[in-house]
Structure formats: structure tokens, C-alpha cells
Amino acid sequence: QVQLVETGGGLVQPGGSLRLTCVVSGVSTFSNKPLAWYRQAPGHQREWVASITSGGATNVVDWAKGRFTISRDNAKNSLYLQMDRLIPEDSAKYLCNIKWSVFGHNYEHWGLGTQVTVSS
């Protein structure tokens, strides 16, 4: 059974930093699969934040470039999101995502998320 567990959220003051972690279990060849972070704030649609390929190439949404960094550790089946210079608008639940295709069958899994609140 595939499981994604996010940790590292919390309450932080504007300008502060948080590092989110997502540990993935139940997936074979974790290192071959792309991963992503999304976020969802109350009353808003879920939005993509950042992605990382199996080869380590990264992409970050424009509003987070220079502030957020995505990375992975294949030895630990883990995905990370380093968030710096946080602003109140970054408050949301952050979720990690993994998806892949095998012989035309698509698989996608989500974690339950970790809450990030940026407030003074």
C-alpha cells in the first residue's frame, strides 16, 4: 500500500523558514518516479508548487522562485520543500504527490498534508 506522510509544518512568523518532509512507502523504484508539492488554502483550489524529476531536475512556480527549494533523497524515500522568506499568503496545507504510468495505466497518490501557517 502506497503511503505518503508529510511533516514539518507549523506556525511561523513572516520572513521565517520551514522545511517540509514527505516520506513515501510502498513504492518500488522510488528513485525512478517524479514527485511534487502542492498546496491548498481554505476556499481555494489545490495548486502546484514545485516538482522534481527522477533525475533531479526541478521546477518551481513563479511566485515561489528564489524562496522555495525542492529536493529529494532517494536513499530515504523522501521529498523535501525548503521554504524561506515565508509570507502570510503562503499559509495553506501542503501536500506531496507521486505519480507514474505502467503500460498505459496511470497511478497517482497523495499524502494528507501538513499545515503551514504564516502569521505574526
Side-chain angles (χ1 to χ4, degrees):
Q1 182 179 356
V2 178
Q3 284 191 314
L4 291 76
V5 179
E6 303 96 333
T7 58
L11 174 63
V12 62
Q13 292 188 341
S17 297
L18 284 174
R19 187 189 193 216
L20 307 184
T21 298
C22 173
V23 177
V24 181
S25 60
V27 174
S28 61
T29 60
F30 170 86
S31 61
N32 290 348
K33 295 176 175 59
L35 303 160
W37 285 101
Y38 288 74
R39 74 180 190 181
Q40 187 164 19
H44 290 77
Q45 288 189 335
R46 186 172 296 181
E47 60 178 344
W48 169 76
V49 176
S51 297
I52 186 166
T53 68
S54 58
T58 62
N59 198 8
V60 178
V61 67
D62 284 347
W63 50 257
K65 285 181 178 176
R67 299 192 302 125
F68 292 8
T69 304
I70 186 171
S71 62
R72 64 191 295 165
D73 185 339
N74 292 331
K76 296 182 179 179
N77 277 24
S78 293
L79 172 70
Y80 306 102
L81 186 67
Q82 177 67 42
M83 305 188 296
D84 299 317
R85 290 186 281 139
L86 285 160
I87 60 177
E89 290 76 15
D90 293 323
S91 297
K93 179 172 285 188
Y94 285 73
L95 308 98
C96 63
N97 170 275
I98 186 170
K99 57 185 174 184
W100 68 94
S101 295
V102 178
F103 301 118
H105 294 279
N106 298 322
Y107 301 87
E108 184 172 28
H109 298 274
W110 295 87
L112 295 179
T114 184
Q115 180 67 39
V116 171
T117 303
V118 185
S119 176
S120 55

